[in-house]
Amino acid sequence: MSPNVQISSALPSFEASDPGSWNHLVEHAQMLESLGVDRIVVSDHVAFGRDLTSYARPELGGREGGVQPTSPDGLWLEPLTTLSYLAARTDRIRLGTNILLAALRPAALLAKTAATLDVLSGGRLDLGVGVGWQRAEYDAVGVDFDGRGRLLDRTLEVCQLLWRGDEASFTSPGLNFDRIHQMPKPLQPEGIPIWVSGTVNRASARRLARFGSGWIPWGPAADDVASAIGVMRAAVADAGGDPHGFGVVGQIPRIVDAGGRADIGAMARYAHGMAQSGVTDLRVTWWPRNAPGDPNEVMAALVAAIRSW
């Protein structure tokens, strides 16, 4: 496998019901670090309304046929707090969000929080960001759902201004500041890498061209990432960006054999095919703890098989 291709894993930072303890997050993170996994990522929801059917509506930012994994009373840990907790208990593995609803946070406050985490973790933070799909969540925070794309762009612009310059000024409808200083800066020289989530569309391409170090495909693009990569690269070029200047996430599906056990060989071959197509971050988004076999052994075997390519 090319040294430019990395392996990442989502951590189960949400539960349908109270797990009693969240110690498994530390155990999982430390185990993945010991296996040489490059990055762990956690999810984000600030609040829920009662109607979760919008998750299945692509026109609102959801996914065709998608089902929200918990009820409104599911337990979702705040991601940047969770990553801070994990940063103190790991040494090397990178820490990311998949995805952070960045527009729900005031831009300068997000910049400060993220920079602090980057400094304390030794420069290990990545921010995967997206617009989300749930109007009630934006309502609860007092943010305009219909303008969430514009607000996300503004948030990212302000963050990068504050991360990269000693003094920052900004003027836009609804947000203005002059000669603002914010320290400390992130340890990573150009600021914290931003991974833009979205389907292949003009807004996502412009956002990726302007702010992104990487792309997290969503919807149909995630289902057929090999075909979507070329289309997105062309769209980024049309938006004035570098069509080869960003990484790409590709999800490794859970493939099982006739006995219901993880088919390590099949998953490794699938991962190899994605890497050949241009994927740079091979991501496991499922967790095998409820599947047959020891989850640590399954992950160890899968990582070893992918690395062997």
Side-chain angles (χ1 to χ4, degrees):
M1 189 173 74
S2 167
N4 295 322
V5 178
Q6 297 185 325
I7 301 173
S8 64
S9 177
L11 287 188
S13 60
F14 60 87
E15 296 285 349
S17 58
D18 189 352
S21 167
W22 296 91
N23 290 338
H24 57 279
L25 291 179
V26 175
E27 295 168 1
H28 293 349
Q30 292 175 340
M31 184 270 290
L32 292 167
E33 183 172 65
S34 72
L35 295 177
V37 170
D38 299 285
R39 181 181 292 103
I40 51 177
V41 296
V42 295
S43 301
D44 182 30
H45 274 296
V46 172
F48 288 105
R50 295 301 305 171
D51 183 5
L52 303 182
T53 58
S54 295
Y55 189 76
R57 296 179 60 185
E59 73 276 13
L60 295 179
R63 185 168 184 166
E64 185 72 36
V67 178
Q68 173 64 23
T70 71
S71 75
D73 290 326
L75 288 79
W76 291 70
L77 299 181
E78 198 285 319
L80 296 179
T81 309
T82 302
L83 293 177
S84 298
Y85 176 71
L86 297 175
R89 290 159 174 81
T90 55
D91 299 308
R92 176 202 57 79
I93 199 164
R94 292 193 65 82
L95 312 160
T97 54
N98 183 45
I99 59 170
L100 184 77
L101 300 175
L104 296 179
R105 282 96 173 161
L109 181 58
L110 174 59
K112 183 71 168 184
T113 304
T116 299
L117 176 50
D118 195 62
V119 168
L120 293 179
S121 68
R124 291 190 278 150
L125 182 61
D126 295 287
L127 284 182
V129 301
V131 295
W133 52 270
Q134 186 188 191
R135 182 179 295 274
E137 191 164 21
Y138 277 77
D139 291 344
V141 180
V143 176
D144 178 24
F145 178 77
D146 294 326
R148 63 197 186 283
R150 174 183 54 80
L151 291 171
L152 175 57
D153 290 341
R154 188 180 76 180
T155 299
L156 299 180
E157 182 176 0
V158 169
C159 282
Q160 290 189 337
L161 281 172
L162 292 171
W163 290 338
R164 294 174 177 177
D166 293 334
E167 186 176 88
S169 299
F170 185 80
T171 301
S172 77
L175 180 64
N176 298 278
F177 56 81
D178 185 49
R179 304 186 67 179
I180 292 296
H181 296 245
Q182 188 182 88
M183 297 292 285
K185 304 300 181 190
L187 289 188
Q188 300 178 83
E190 290 300 309
I192 295 158
I194 292 171
W195 290 69
V196 174
S197 177
T199 61
V200 180
N201 58 52
R202 287 184 180 180
S204 293
R206 286 196 302 265
R207 192 168 295 128
L208 186 53
R210 187 177 179 188
F211 305 111
S213 297
W215 176 40
I216 305 172
W218 175 248
D223 295 334
D224 187 5
V225 65
S227 299
I229 288 175
V231 182
M232 181 57 99
R233 293 198 190 283
V236 167
D238 288 343
D242 180 355
H244 299 285
F246 57 91
V248 181
V249 172
Q251 296 183 13
I252 303 172
R254 182 172 181 267
I255 303 173
V256 298
D257 60 21
R261 304 182 69 88
D263 191 330
I264 301 298
M267 287 188 283
R269 289 190 292 273
Y270 188 95
H272 176 64
M274 286 198 297
Q276 292 290 95
S277 73
V279 167
T280 63
D281 184 310
L282 299 167
R283 181 160 297 174
V284 177
T285 58
W286 46 271
W287 193 259
R289 60 182 173 165
N290 296 323
D294 180 84
N296 292 7
E297 292 180 1
V298 171
M299 290 300 298
L302 179 58
V303 170
I306 293 172
R307 295 289 187 202
S308 72
W309 287 97

